[in-house]
Structures are given as C-alpha cells and as structure tokens.
Amino acid sequence: MRAVVQTVGRASVTVDGEVVGAVADGLLVLLGVTHTDTPQTARTMARKIHELRILDDERSAAETGAGILVVSQFTLYGDTRRGRRPSWTAAAPAEVAEPLVTTVVEALRERGAPVETGRFRAHMLVESTNIGPRTLLLDL
C-alpha cells in the first residue's frame, strides 16, 4: 500500500459537478493498493497516516483533530521503467482495492479522525491548496 500525504489548507473532490468530499486545514491522502495488501496493511496505513507528525509544530492529525480527505489513486503503482506508457500491473484491481481503501477509511474513523472521501471508480476532480508544501510518500 502506498500513500502520498500532503498538508492542505483546503482540499476537495468533485464528481459530476458535485463536491463529494472536502477538508480544511488537514491532510489530503492519495492512496494506492497493490495485490499483496491485506486488511492488516490497511489498518497499519491508517495508524501511520493518523499519527504522522507532518502538521505545524510537528503535530499529527491524531493530536489536532485535523480532517483527512482520502482519495483512491491506483496510479501510484504505475510503472514506467520500460518506456513512456505506464504499466498498471502492480495496482490491485478495483474489486480488491475498494474494500481495502474502505478499511483504511473505517480504521481512521475508529481512531476518531474526521474523514472525507472521493468516489471509487469515478472521474474525480481533486483540488488542493498545499501548505508548506509538505508531502510524504508512505510505502508499506
């Protein structure tokens, strides 16, 4: 599982002209799933995201109550080593990925995090105003 985590002043996801998820002063998480990921991997990723000390004064979303916007992003597993056309073979198929993304979201909510999401398998417009910018890649 991979996640790109960014601190944002605001971030939102729009599908067909409707905002389906938005946060202010929190984290935008682009989340990719691979074939070997499990529910345990998803719970570990949720803990890491929630406790990641990336916000101001080296604080975490767990400490500040910051909102988290989670957006599924299979392209994090794109492979361009053999040319310019990415291969997506390392990305888990939607039937595998969707329940694991849901597990991450549910695990964050169980920890008390206010979580918003994108819409799986939809063409999403993701907008963000990054702070810092502070961007990390988490790779489990």
Side-chain angles (χ1 to χ4, degrees):
M1 190 166 281
R2 288 182 181 155
V4 172
V5 181
Q6 299 178 312
T7 56
V8 295
R10 65 178 181 270
S12 65
V13 178
T14 303
V15 176
D16 295 329
E18 173 192 358
V19 175
V20 297
V23 296
D25 297 319
L27 300 176
L28 170 60
V29 177
L30 305 176
L31 185 64
V33 177
T34 193
H35 303 280
T36 57
D37 290 332
T38 65
Q40 182 57 44
T41 308
R43 287 188 289 276
T44 299
M45 181 61 81
R47 180 185 53 77
K48 288 185 77 93
I49 291 166
H50 198 226
E51 296 178 0
L52 186 63
R53 296 180 168 279
I54 191 175
L55 297 169
D56 289 343
D57 299 321
E58 296 184 6
R59 296 177 72 201
S60 68
E63 293 173 285
T64 64
I68 303 170
L69 176 59
V70 177
V71 180
S72 177
Q73 188 74 39
F74 78 93
T75 60
L76 291 178
Y77 279 100
D79 183 354
T80 59
R81 289 179 288 182
R82 292 190 170 198
R84 297 172 300 189
R85 181 176 294 139
S87 166
W88 310 113
T89 58
E95 300 76 31
V96 173
E98 187 171 12
L100 291 173
V101 170
T102 299
T103 299
V104 170
V105 169
E106 289 172 354
L108 285 165
R109 288 181 176 146
E110 286 169 7
R111 297 174 63 82
V115 181
E116 297 279 325
T117 65
R119 188 171 295 157
F120 212 88
R121 296 187 192 189
H123 182 74
M124 296 179 278
L125 173 63
V126 180
E127 296 182 278
S128 67
T129 302
N130 296 3
I131 295 176
R134 289 174 284 214
T135 303
L136 290 176
L137 173 64
L138 302 179
D139 202 355
L140 299 182

